[in-house]
Amino acid sequence: MKREGYLIDLLHSYDNEQSYVVLVVKEEGRKTFYRYPFDPYFYLETEDPEQVQKDLDSFSVLYKDQVVKVKRTEIVERLTPDKTWKKLLKIYCYHPNHVPMVHEALKPYGKSYEYKIPYLHRFLADTKLIPLNYIVFEEEDHEVKEILSQEDRMIPLNVMAFDIEVYNKTNPPDPRSNPIIMISLYSKNLGGKVITYRDSPGGVDGVITVRDEREMIERFCDIVNDEDVDLLIGYNSAMFDIPYLKERSKVLGTSLNLGLDYSGIEYRRHGMSATVRIPGRVHIDFYPVMRTLGGMGAVRIQRYTLEEAYRNIIGDLLGSKNIDKQEIWRYWDDDNLRDVLFRYSIGDSRAVYEISKVVLPVEIQLTKASGLPLSEVYHAPTSKMVESALMRVAVDKRYIIPNLPKESEVRLRMNNPIKGGFVKMPNPGVYEDIIVFDFRGMYPSIVVSHNVDWYSYDPDAPEEECYVSPNGYKFRKDSETLIPYVLKRLLSLRGGLKDKLKTLDKNSREYEHLFAKTQALKILINSFFGYLGYARSRWYCRECASSITAWGRYYITNTIQKAEQRGFQVLYADTDSLFILLKGHDKDDALQFLEEVNRQLPSDMELEFEGYYPRGVFVSKRTEVGKGAKKKYALIDDRGVIKIRGFELVRRDWSEIAKETQLKVLEAILKDGDPKKAVKIVKDVISSLKKGEVPLDKLIIYTELKRDPKNYAVISPEVAAAVKARDRGVKVGKGSIIGYVIGKTGKTVSEKAEYYLFAKDYDPDYYINNQVLPAVMKILRELGYSEEELKTNSRQTTLWE
DNA sequence: GCGAGCAGCGTACCT
DNA sequence: ACAGGTACGCTGCTCGCG
């Protein structure tokens, strides 16, 4: 029978010596599972494949009392990693777990390939199915016979956000003894609800009161089933809410049947992450999503709390009051406070839901662009997405996917980094009339215009058949192999979408949809260069990565030279951008120069006009006064919008008081052109710091612990604060963002550092001399002010008052 | 024993 | 667990001086 629907997710099942991929398909009105028989396999490169094939007909290995047999074999031709076509033995197994066992057992016969590709990834790459696409297929008895077609349609998803509250007087909450008191949820259909087992004294809207905790969990499962939720979303839910719910269910003698038709969920924790499988639904945790977006610089966030994430993505805070997790039990016990907690809980679910409205479209498009299931994309490193996109094409072209490097090889690669981009040192000062140009997608465009690829790299090829990089590596022109092939398609897809966007109404659903697609493509496209130089990459190519940066350095330095020959002063340049001073030239002159440059560039490369800035500041390095600091500048455009890069005020590891003062100083100089105003601002801040008037929350410095506190050679302030906090029961460790305040007690800065929750006072000298003054002096020094001047004046100011 | 000077550690930024 | 280039605060060592 012909069926059709959206491919929501994929699972694995095994039955009667047959391995299946289970497709979760959202059909008209309901979701259904369909089994797709698919045998896992790997390849063996061996001297005499025919002979080994015969031997394998009766092949079996013993593994932990289990006889593992080979299901079937065939001889195929593939391009192996030594870049020659060879006959290989393709060995099919009964169960995905058998693949590594058989591979291990067959080591004496030769080298094997593709034995470590996860089963579902293997299936997706081979069938070319894209998760979330609309599929049409032939089915019999819930078994897929044939996929007829697939289409990229806008997918309707029933999204439900949820959040739990726990009653605990001591930290951290323990599921064996601390009950869950509320489960809140938010969906388009239901709005905000909170399931609980105490009444709402004021009759808060959306409160559903049941008998006890057990019934609360069961009711939650009922609602998820009744609503037939497609996406169950939370914040830190993979590491907290889901395992807590699961544990409590066990303690209470019930089960957490959130899956389709009340099927149970699967939860596995592996160190810093976890897998959550809810059959028939997709679970997404937006905490790792925010971490990834933060790591890429797509969002700038101080700490990855739900509140911060919401503020960053949506803007204003939700109405509900923020409650300290350690205080929750008081709100539960107090009839006068419980309603506040209900509203807070619903507010959190709603916040997650609102975040998802913005971020989910991009995750959906990353799924489609990479081909990884949505359930993996949300916590996948970009390398996984690139690898997935490449694997599909490699299978198509019958290229063997190179094996993962051994640890020794990884170390070798890491100890031998490649040279990166070129950065020109600026002269510090305040400038007028700056034009910024940059190369549009420099590295991707270098790859496609010079055919840079693992497969096209050929040291033995004749030069005339190759693009030769500035550092002397040769890439064949004649064949469009893997990465340039994939990139070219992604780039043209993105180009087409951007053109289409220009014709659409910015508030339309279609615009939103296509915009998310361009965002996802941008993320993926920009990841290919990194992947070529990534030590654990399957297609690692040092020659490729170093050639790309060499060409990059060539084009930017060449453009700088041309600009200077044309009489422009080049103020600054970094990798793919250059800042020129107009000084005597007019804007058209600069644009004419731009055209000249573009005429000489390869067709896939383009230098773009980024912007015109009436004024800008470059500052001195702290260590070498007079020499300009790279990667630190502020520009103001003709509409008064300030663009700030690298300054303390964009860094999380500086206190708010230093950052806000630095911003005010920059504004006084760039907007008002009034250094005196800037000086007054600084004096006022110093004065209030001295008087102890500045609230502690403006003095918090945030720093991430990249490792466990035990593993530091040097005890820096954030480590000292973290250790003190840990001694007082706060859960901090690798990955925590530590907020601390420099207090009055102690000798060194580390001794004075106190975890923000325990900070009682602050050291004004530290905040004046180590925070505010260094931040603002950077800028004021360029205008001829000295530190002493500011400090002396400020002292006088206080005397006058 | 003590302060100055410095190297190295470590983080967060820029492209 | 995508790349390298860069600034810079802090710790903790060395060294010279007394």
Side-chain angles (χ1 to χ4, degrees):
Chain A
M1 196 183 211
K2 207 165 136 186
R3 301 272 185 187
E4 52 194 275
Y6 294 94
L7 178 57
I8 295 276
D9 199 19
L10 302 99
L11 305 159
H12 170 246
S13 81
Y14 183 75
D15 170 36
N16 207 12
E17 298 213 321
Q18 179 60 56
S19 196
Y20 296 93
V21 172
V22 178
L23 307 183
V24 183
V25 181
K26 180 172 173 142
E27 300 177 277
E28 195 74 40
R30 61 188 296 266
K31 282 194 289 279
T32 317
F33 296 122
Y34 292 98
R35 302 201 299 187
Y36 190 128
F38 183 78
D39 294 328
Y41 65 85
F42 70 101
Y43 295 97
L44 181 70
E45 181 183 335
T46 180
E47 285 283 319
D48 185 355
E50 281 85 1
Q51 186 53 49
V52 179
Q53 187 173 34
K54 278 184 203 137
D55 295 352
L56 284 184
D57 281 342
S58 57
F59 182 82
S60 64
V61 292
L62 198 64
Y63 189 89
K64 288 180 184 169
D65 302 332
Q66 188 189 353
V67 179
V68 179
K69 286 186 294 180
V70 166
K71 188 165 186 179
R72 62 195 160 95
T73 57
E74 61 182 286
I75 291 169
V76 295
E77 205 176 12
R78 294 288 183 270
L79 185 71
T80 63
D82 67 4
K83 301 180 195 175
T84 59
W85 291 88
K86 282 182 188 157
K87 277 187 178 167
L88 302 180
L89 199 57
K90 190 173 180 182
I91 300 169
Y92 294 89
C93 296
Y94 285 93
H95 192 283
N97 294 345
H98 295 174
V99 170
M101 302 179 200
V102 178
H103 145 69
E104 196 63 36
L106 291 183
K107 268 189 174 166
Y109 287 87
K111 195 169 163 63
S112 38
Y113 300 109
E114 305 195 8
Y115 51 87
K116 242 181 158 172
I117 314 263
Y119 180 65
L120 292 178
H121 296 183
R122 167 92 277 162
F123 171 81
L124 285 166
D126 285 22
T127 58
K128 303 283 173 297
L129 277 174
I130 300 269
L132 304 185
N133 266 3
Y134 193 79
I135 58 171
V136 181
F137 57 102
E138 198 64 47
E139 161 266 359
E140 205 181 296
D141 240 356
H142 285 263
E143 193 157 312
V144 178
K145 295 297 164 203
E146 195 190 353
I147 304 278
L148 300 168
S149 65
Q150 64 173 322
E151 205 187 304
D152 176 12
R153 285 200 200 171
M154 248 191 261
I155 184 168
L157 288 169
N158 187 7
V159 181
M160 183 180 283
F162 80 108
D163 182 42
I164 67 170
E165 309 304 334
V166 173
Y167 187 96
N168 59 301
K169 291 186 179 175
T170 54
N171 248 341
D174 178 357
R176 282 165 304 181
S177 52
N178 300 139
I180 300 170
I181 50 178
M182 295 177 193
I183 305 174
S184 66
L185 50 95
Y186 195 96
S187 75
K188 192 179 172 192
N189 195 23
L190 298 177
K193 299 273 182 232
V194 57
I195 316 165
T196 186
Y197 43 93
R198 274 189 194 169
D199 285 323
S200 156
V204 170
D205 222 25
V207 176
I208 302 170
T209 305
V210 297
R211 193 156 23 100
D212 55 20
E213 186 186 2
R214 181 187 160 136
E215 212 176 285
M216 175 181 73
I217 292 173
E218 287 166 357
R219 178 66 71 87
F220 177 53
C221 295
D222 285 345
I223 293 176
V224 169
N225 272 280
D226 290 348
E227 294 289 314
D228 194 12
V229 170
D230 299 319
L231 256 55
L232 194 62
I233 65 175
Y235 203 85
N236 200 24
S237 47
M239 296 305 272
F240 182 70
D241 303 62
I242 292 279
Y244 207 95
L245 274 165
K246 185 131 204 224
E247 274 301 303
R248 279 310 285 171
S249 302
K250 209 161 113 193
V251 170
L252 298 166
T254 183
S255 23
L256 189 62
N257 296 330
L258 288 168
L260 195 59
D261 303 321
Y262 289 91
S263 53
I265 74 159
E266 185 194 316
Y267 183 79
R268 262 183 311 171
R269 199 172 188 135
H270 12 78
M272 297 283 287
S273 67
T275 40
V276 180
R277 281 211 187 84
I278 310 178
R281 314 189 201 287
V282 177
H283 163 256
I284 299 184
D285 181 352
F286 279 86
Y287 173 69
V289 173
M290 293 310 298
R291 290 295 294 227
T292 308
L293 292 176
M296 288 188 320
V299 295
R300 196 188 298 280
I301 214 167
Q302 302 275 309
R303 315 156 64 204
Y304 297 97
T305 60
L306 176 58
E307 288 72 22
E308 282 273 321
Y310 184 86
R311 198 173 336 180
N312 192 282
I313 304 281
I314 312 293
D316 286 325
L317 271 168
L318 279 179
S320 71
K321 175 181 165 181
N322 194 16
I323 296 173
D324 185 348
K325 294 280 175 205
Q326 315 213 28
E327 297 288 304
I328 284 175
W329 66 272
R330 286 186 209 281
Y331 284 76
W332 176 249
D333 284 341
D334 190 335
D335 280 351
N336 297 318
L337 290 175
R338 200 175 313 122
D339 283 349
V340 180
L341 189 59
F342 287 138
R343 287 200 199 90
Y344 161 81
S345 187
I346 293 175
D348 272 7
S349 283
R350 166 144 185 248
V352 175
Y353 187 85
E354 298 292 334
I355 289 170
S356 83
K357 283 210 279 194
V358 177
V359 182
L360 188 57
V362 179
E363 296 296 313
I364 289 172
Q365 296 307 329
L366 278 171
T367 297
K368 296 196 177 195
S370 68
L372 281 181
L374 179 58
S375 51
E376 293 182 37
V377 153
Y378 84 82
H379 60 121
T382 48
S383 58
K384 278 266 178 301
M385 298 190 226
V386 170
E387 206 163 89
S388 165
L390 291 177
M391 265 171 54
R392 290 169 170 263
V393 178
V395 171
D396 223 27
K397 290 180 174 272
R398 295 189 296 127
Y399 296 170
I400 284 291
I401 297 160
N403 290 336
L404 288 168
K406 294 194 189 77
E407 273 312 301
S408 55
E409 173 65 17
V410 170
R411 271 198 301 281
L412 228 57
R413 291 175 181 181
M414 289 203 289
N415 290 333
N416 192 14
I418 61 155
K419 208 170 158 195
F422 167 80
V423 191
K424 181 181 159 69
M425 191 182 71
N427 279 320
V430 180
Y431 296 89
E432 315 250 296
D433 297 326
I434 302 161
I435 299 261
V436 179
F437 293 130
D438 56 25
F439 283 90
R440 178 173 48 80
M442 186 191 236
Y443 288 173
S445 69
I446 287 174
V447 170
V448 300
S449 52
H450 303 82
N451 207 34
V452 183
D453 195 17
W454 197 85
Y455 295 94
S456 60
Y457 166 61
D458 185 355
D460 304 323
E463 275 199 15
E464 57 278 13
E465 292 174 21
C466 295
Y467 295 104
V468 183
S469 68
N471 53 342
Y473 293 118
K474 289 180 279 185
F475 300 91
R476 300 198 68 96
K477 292 178 180 174
D478 53 9
S479 56
E480 193 175 72
T481 48
L482 192 63
I483 290 179
Y485 176 90
V486 175
L487 264 183
K488 218 173 244 184
R489 272 147 194 80
L490 292 174
L491 284 166
S492 92
L493 183 58
R494 178 154 193 261
L497 287 170
K498 283 178 87 171
D499 288 343
K500 178 110 198 256
L501 279 181
K502 286 181 199 142
T503 70
L504 293 173
D505 170 15
K506 282 205 169 184
N507 297 313
S508 65
R509 247 176 75 76
E510 168 137 44
Y511 183 94
E512 215 171 86
H513 172 236
L514 295 183
F515 182 71
K517 218 174 176 70
T518 61
Q519 295 281 296
L521 287 169
K522 183 180 177 180
I523 291 172
L524 195 61
I525 287 165
N526 287 335
S527 306
F528 280 81
F529 160 70
Y531 186 76
L532 278 170
Y534 170 47
R536 290 171 199 280
S537 164
R538 289 181 185 267
W539 280 279
Y540 177 82
C541 178
R542 196 177 190 280
E543 297 81 1
C544 300
S546 68
S547 293
I548 295 166
T549 58
W551 260 309
R553 292 191 299 275
Y554 165 77
Y555 285 111
I556 196 69
T557 50
N558 202 252
T559 309
I560 292 170
Q561 264 180 29
K562 282 179 186 159
E564 283 169 348
Q565 279 162 15
R566 196 96 160 33
F568 289 108
Q569 189 187 333
V570 178
L571 174 59
Y572 178 61
D574 185 351
T575 312
D576 61 356
S577 67
L578 71 157
F579 295 44
I580 64 171
L581 291 177
L582 226 36
K583 248 195 211 164
H585 298 73
D586 60 16
K587 229 167 163 177
D588 286 341
D589 219 5
L591 293 175
Q592 211 184 327
F593 166 71
L594 180 69
E595 260 181 54
E596 272 170 44
V597 172
N598 277 317
R599 272 201 294 278
Q600 294 168 40
L601 286 173
S603 65
D604 287 304
M605 293 188 69
E606 192 191 342
L607 187 68
E608 277 187 320
F609 172 79
E610 194 273 336
Y612 160 71
Y613 301 92
R615 205 176 281 162
V617 191
F618 282 78
V619 296
S620 270
K621 274 174 57 152
R622 193 193 63 88
T623 46
E624 291 160 284
V625 178
K627 289 201 169 186
K630 297 166 175 180
K631 300 177 193 285
K632 252 176 216 216
Y633 59 85
L635 304 171
I636 187 163
D637 70 15
D638 39 20
R639 290 175 318 179
V641 179
I642 300 184
K643 179 168 166 176
I644 296 157
R645 293 293 119 102
F647 277 117
E648 287 67 17
L649 80 97
V650 301
R651 296 177 64 99
R652 74 150 70 94
D653 57 357
W654 282 75
S655 63
E656 189 57 39
I657 190 72
K659 296 198 284 187
E660 86 180 17
T661 313
Q662 190 181 51
L663 178 60
K664 284 179 186 163
V665 165
L666 272 174
E667 280 174 343
I669 285 154
L670 290 174
K671 269 195 183 144
D672 312 322
D674 185 356
K676 286 210 179 80
K677 183 175 169 186
V679 171
K680 173 157 189 346
I681 290 163
V682 177
K683 283 193 290 183
D684 288 350
V685 170
I686 291 176
S687 152
S688 58
L689 272 169
K690 277 192 178 163
K691 288 189 220 147
E693 291 171 351
V694 180
L696 288 179
D697 62 358
K698 283 198 175 186
L699 304 173
I700 304 174
I701 296 162
Y702 294 104
T703 309
E704 182 179 349
L705 293 184
K706 301 263 187 195
R707 49 181 89 156
D708 195 88
K710 295 194 293 286
N711 301 333
Y712 282 92
V714 177
I715 305 304
S716 44
E718 65 275 14
V719 177
V723 170
K724 286 182 221 172
R726 188 180 259 188
D727 291 344
R728 295 174 70 161
V730 184
K731 244 182 106 180
V732 292
K734 187 176 166 178
S736 301
I737 291 178
I738 307 297
Y740 62 92
V741 173
I742 302 305
K744 285 183 169 152
T745 331
K747 254 184 102 184
T748 65
V749 179
S750 282
E751 280 167 22
K752 292 183 195 179
E754 199 63 73
Y755 191 65
Y756 75 109
L757 289 178
F758 308 129
K760 293 276 179 288
D761 55 20
Y762 72 86
D763 174 4
D765 285 343
Y766 177 83
Y767 284 95
I768 292 167
N769 294 318
N770 297 35
Q771 292 277 323
V772 173
L773 278 176
V776 300
M777 274 319 296
K778 255 191 180 68
I779 299 151
L780 292 176
R781 193 176 291 119
E782 299 316 322
L783 296 151
Y785 291 87
S786 77
E787 194 164 315
E788 281 314 306
E789 244 171 299
L790 283 169
K791 279 208 268 194
T792 320
N793 284 348
S794 81
R795 203 166 295 138
Q796 284 173 358
T797 314
T798 44
L799 282 174
W800 295 333
E801 276 168 20

